């Protein structure tokens, strides 16, 4: 007889229920909230699925399950709700691609009109639905200080529709509409925008960034955001194996390298001022981070584009200095 292997794949999986609770992971605790169930159709190793699960589980715990989620069109919506199924265990509304913030503001206003202050509102969208088509609605929500936590899952492109560039796509990345062909080196430098910085400019109560490499940090930031009222913004870096050309098993490692190379700053801000940063423990050369991803492959061919890699290294160095990520105090 062959050995029976038990895998820890989710709270209610048979393997987890048969194990002694003291041996199980936190995920296997029956008391753990479970906002999104397994069985959805995200790609293997999808950072967005991992990020959304951790964010919504933490929000569910913080609100004791009394919450409404508004979800923009994008991968997260598509892979979690193939009609007539749904993976969501929380009240969940699908908005248009660009108006999740406006719909969430409407839900918050309706709750206020009903005199309900016990139900919290969380909006979520990809980077396209946040930094591009959603920007006006997001900015309006910030400006009015509506009582909504808006979460952007930043996979640095329009993944749902076939990996097109967004304003969060890094320079030199090859995407469906910034192809690296011939002398072209992918997405142009000097384009795009930082939504966390734009959110801070609105001086809203809370802005934070995080990655799926540090799930405790992500949970803590959701809990902090849920303890506050008014407009709050959380920007989570979520590697996309399909769009980035990374190995499915490397999602967490790639997210960690993004932070440790300075290509993604992890910090918190309140009312427009940075209040905390996650220091880089072991700095990683930007080239090592880029090499993990096929979307930057053209930079390392023969002859490759060492001048572009150097420019990206300078960008990482600037971010490290701006947020003092090495703790040297040099800005
Ligand atoms: C007005 C409008 N234009 C285009 C689309 C098609 N569309 C659906 S999702 C999407 C891209 C989503 O990208 P993003 O928000 O970054 O989320 P991701 O899929 O990467 O998670 C696009 C272009 C649409 N639904 N509505
Ligand atoms: S395309 Fe990317 S974001 Fe979409 S489900 Fe696959 S891994 Fe996740």
């Amino acid at each position: 007889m062959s050995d029976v292997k038990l895998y820890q794949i989710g709270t209610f999986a048979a393997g987890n229920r048969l194990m002694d609770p003291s041996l199980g992971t936190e995920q296997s605790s029956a008391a753990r909230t479970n906002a999104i169930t397994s069985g959805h159709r995200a790609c293997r190793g999808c950072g967005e699925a991992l990020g959304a699960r951790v964010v919504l589980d933490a929000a569910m715990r913080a609100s004791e399950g009394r919450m409404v989620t508004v979800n923009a069109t994008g991968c997260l919506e598509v892979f979690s709700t193939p009609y007539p199924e749904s993976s969501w265990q929380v009240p969940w509304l699908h908005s248009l691609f660009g108006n999740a913030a406006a719909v969430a503001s409407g839900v918050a206003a309706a709750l206020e009109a009903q005199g309900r202050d016990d139900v919290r509102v969380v909006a979520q969208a990809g980077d396209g639905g946040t930094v591009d088509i959603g920007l006006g609605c997001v900015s309006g929500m910030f400006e009015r200080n509506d009582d909504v936590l808006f979460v952007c899952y930043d996979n640095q492109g329009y993944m749902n529709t076939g990996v097109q560039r967004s304003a969060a796509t890094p320079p030199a990345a090859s995407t469906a509409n910034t192809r690296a062909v011939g002398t072209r080196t992918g997405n142009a430098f000097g384009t795009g925008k930082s939504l966390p910085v734009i959110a801070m400019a609105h001086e809203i109560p809370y802005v934070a960034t995080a990655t799926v490499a540090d799930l405790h940090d992500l949970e803590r930031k959701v809990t902090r955001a849920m303890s506050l009222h008014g407009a709050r913004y959380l920007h989570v870096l979520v590697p996309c194996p399909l769009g980035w050309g990374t190995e499915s098993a490397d999602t967490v490692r790639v997210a960690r390298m993004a932070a440790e190379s300075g290509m993604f700053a992890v910090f918190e801000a309140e009312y427009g001022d940075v209040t905390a940063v996650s220091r880089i423990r072991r700095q990683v050369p930007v080239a090592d981070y880029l090499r993990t991803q096929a979307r930057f492959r053209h930079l390392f061919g023969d002859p490759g584009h060492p001048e572009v890699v150097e420019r990206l290294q300078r960008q990482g160095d600037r971010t490290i200095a701006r947020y003092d990520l090495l703790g040297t105090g040099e800005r």
Side-chain angles (χ1 to χ4, degrees), residues 42-43 46-48 75 79 155 159 240-243:
C43 308
C46 173
E48 188 161 270
C75 264
F79 71 63
N155 55 23
M159 300 315 179
C240 163
L242 184 106

Side-chain angles (χ1 to χ4, degrees), residues 19 161 185 331:
M19 275 173 123
T161 42
T185 55
R331 287 176 186 244

Side-chain angles (χ1 to χ4, degrees), residues 71-312:
N71 206 134
T73 303
C75 264
L76 179 59
E77 166 260 326
V78 169
F79 71 63
S80 63
T81 57
Y83 182 82
E85 298 161 5
S86 171
S87 296
W88 296 99
Q89 303 296 300
V90 287
W92 184 93
L93 301 176
H94 174 209
S95 71
L96 297 176
F97 180 25
N99 70 349
V103 172
S105 291
V107 173
L111 289 166
E112 191 183 355
Q114 291 175 354
R116 302 280 308 264
D117 60 5
D118 57 328
V119 181
R120 310 304 305 277
V121 184
V122 177
Q124 39 185 13
D127 48 287
T130 307
V131 308
D132 287 341
I133 194 170
L135 184 61
C137 293
V138 169
S139 175
M141 185 211 109
F142 289 165
E143 196 178 317
R144 293 185 302 269
N145 199 24
D146 291 332
D147 193 14
V148 173
L149 168 60
F150 192 101
V151 185
C152 171
Y153 300 107
D154 180 8
N155 55 23
Q156 303 187 332
Y158 293 12
M159 300 315 179
N160 177 49
T161 42
V163 195
Q164 292 88 18
R165 172 202 179 275
S166 81
T169 302
S174 184
T175 70
N177 53 354
T178 60
R179 267 291 171 246
V181 283
T183 55
R184 294 177 185 217
T185 55
N187 190 32
F189 278 84
T191 58
K193 56 189 92 102
S194 164
L195 225 287
V197 172
I198 292 173
M200 282 167 62
H202 290 74
E203 301 195 357
I204 56 177
Y206 188 69
V207 174
T209 65
T211 79
V212 288
D214 189 345
L215 298 178
H216 288 298
D217 177 66
L218 177 56
E219 280 183 349
R220 187 185 61 74
K221 285 170 176 166
V222 174
T223 307
R224 170 80 183 131
M226 293 295 285
S227 73
L228 303 169
H229 283 270
R232 289 142 291 142
Y233 181 68
L234 180 59
H235 190 105
V236 192
L237 184 74
V238 291
C240 163
L242 184 106
W244 294 20
T246 49
E247 293 297 327
S248 299
D250 281 349
T251 297
V252 166
R253 187 171 74 90
V254 171
R256 183 174 302 118
M257 290 177 85
E260 298 201 328
S261 62
M263 294 302 279
F264 187 85
V266 180
F267 65 93
E268 285 173 287
E270 296 194 14
Y271 296 100
D273 293 323
V274 174
T275 52
V277 300
S278 294
R279 300 258 191 251
I280 293 173
R281 275 182 296 175
R282 194 171 48 87
Q283 190 179 2
V284 168
V286 168
D288 289 3
Y289 166 64
L290 302 175
R291 273 202 188 87
T292 59
Q293 303 159 56
R295 62 181 175 158
F296 296 114
R297 189 165 41 203
H298 55 286
L299 303 181
F300 300 100
D302 185 13
H305 296 281
E307 73 293 353
V308 176
V309 176
E310 269 167 38
R311 203 168 165 187
L312 287 164

